[in-house]
Amino acid sequence: MNPPLPTLSCVVLTRGDRPAELSRSLQSLRDQQGEPVQTVVVGNGVELSGLPDWVDLLCLSENAGIPAGRNAGVARTTGDVVLFLDDDGWLPDTGTADRLRAAFADEPRLGVVSLRIVDPETGTTQRRHVPRLRAGDPHRSSLVTTFLGGASAVRRVAFDEAGGLPDDFFFAHEETDLAWRVLDHGWDIRYDADAPMCHPATSPARHDVYYRYNARNRVWLARRNLPVLLVPLYLGTWVVLMVLRNRDAHALRTWGRGFLEGWRTDPGPRRPMRWRTVWRMTRLGRPPVV
């Protein structure tokens, strides 16, 4: 007898500044085969109106950031699995919802599925959107150690066990924080190359706060989750990579200030991963030092 299919909800976070893209995103959810996907739209610091009556609307009084906004949306969902979808992304395949339901039903220890992000103009997947170090073949599925926040599905039990997304991160590395905690609870994370999500090719550096939050949250991530011995190795690696990859003096100064901020401020509760989780991540090709 086949296991029962889990129910599926979706959280779409928006600032309300892309109404046409949001409409396309919602329509792609409406077009999914199988049981309807419960859809929660979170207006992050904005009042929204005019959405379809099948959408559950939650408007936050201020911009709480990406992780806190998604956490608020998850609290309104009822599904066994929660799909996160960017407001300017959409599902081109109407069978994606059923594919996700089947994957979580067939693999009891599957905690997260990371979808393959595809540029609709070129049909390509950016290297940074493949959540593993060996990213040369984006069409190869595999177990991984992290996932892409706006194109992922998370088993609700795993999400709750891991404590959800870290509210105070606001933007950057919140998915990795959740991923490490999910792995430490014994769940699997799978990159599914055959589950596409269309999203225009962009750079995270387009956000003014990118370099600050990238550095600050990198330090918070290590301080919250890594064994003490690995903290300097992980952060030292990323300092070297940042210097080698970036020749913009302003960006480096901003990143450096964010790095110091990460040490001077409270990262939240510390729950270092077990060494067997470190070994497991190493076997999966990405030890938590890079």
Side-chain angles (χ1 to χ4, degrees):
M1 181 181 296
N2 293 327
L5 294 178
T7 54
L8 182 64
S9 299
C10 182
V11 173
V12 181
L13 191 66
T14 185
R15 291 296 313 281
D17 53 352
R18 294 189 284 234
E21 290 86 347
L22 175 61
S23 178
R24 178 178 58 192
S25 177
L26 295 178
Q27 188 60 51
S28 77
L29 292 168
R30 188 66 165 176
D31 291 342
Q32 291 297 303
Q33 300 169 13
E35 291 296 315
V37 178
Q38 181 210 10
T39 302
V40 177
V41 172
V42 180
N44 208 357
V46 63
E47 289 292 330
L48 299 173
S49 60
L51 296 183
D53 57 10
W54 50 269
V55 170
D56 184 359
L57 176 60
L58 171 62
C59 293
L60 305 181
S61 59
E62 60 182 13
N63 181 3
I66 292 174
R70 286 183 174 148
N71 283 339
V74 170
R76 293 283 287 265
T77 64
T78 60
D80 302 312
V81 174
V82 180
L83 171 68
F84 295 112
L85 191 62
D86 281 346
D87 65 349
D88 57 345
W90 71 98
L91 302 176
D93 185 344
T94 60
T96 298
D98 275 347
R99 181 181 181 85
L100 291 172
R101 294 185 185 103
F104 282 98
D106 293 343
E107 300 181 52
R109 295 309 300 172
L110 182 61
V112 184
V113 172
S114 190
L115 281 63
R116 181 169 63 90
I117 299 178
V118 180
D119 176 12
E121 296 293 327
T122 64
T124 60
T125 297
Q126 291 180 288
R127 184 180 181 87
R128 69 184 183 89
H129 285 155
V130 182
R132 58 177 178 245
L133 291 180
R134 295 182 178 180
D137 182 8
H139 295 278
R140 177 175 66 86
S141 300
S142 69
L143 293 176
V144 291
T145 63
T146 189
F147 62 95
L148 288 309
S152 60
V154 183
R155 192 185 296 270
R156 181 62 180 270
V157 173
F159 185 89
D160 290 341
E161 280 187 4
L165 293 159
D167 283 351
D168 292 340
F169 276 44
F170 197 84
F171 162 75
H173 305 314
E174 68 275 3
E175 309 98 326
T176 302
D177 186 90
L178 177 60
W180 286 2
R181 297 186 181 214
V182 163
L183 289 169
D184 203 44
H185 279 84
W187 298 96
D188 291 332
I189 304 173
R190 179 175 296 282
Y191 168 65
D192 187 351
D194 295 317
M197 189 276 274
C198 286
H199 189 283
T202 56
S203 167
R206 71 190 186 278
H207 301 291
D208 293 338
V209 295
Y210 170 74
Y211 289 107
R212 173 197 166 197
Y213 287 159
N214 178 282
R216 184 198 68 180
N217 294 359
R218 183 81 69 184
V219 176
W220 282 0
L221 179 68
R223 292 177 62 194
R224 285 162 57 91
N225 296 290
L226 290 181
V228 171
L229 290 176
L230 294 185
V231 172
L233 291 175
Y234 177 79
L235 294 177
T237 298
W238 281 103
V239 168
V240 171
L241 288 174
M242 181 63 185
V243 172
L244 291 177
R245 291 174 175 177
N246 202 306
R247 293 292 183 266
D248 185 306
H250 174 72
L252 287 172
R253 285 194 299 270
T254 303
W255 195 91
R257 287 193 294 269
F259 189 85
L260 292 175
E261 181 184 354
W263 286 107
R264 293 168 176 167
T265 51
D266 182 6
R270 174 169 167 77
R271 294 194 289 270
M273 68 176 64
R274 294 167 293 181
W275 282 103
R276 69 180 182 183
T277 303
V278 174
W279 175 237
R280 181 183 177 202
M281 293 174 66
T282 302
R283 288 189 289 111
L284 289 172
R286 188 160 195 166
V289 296
V290 64

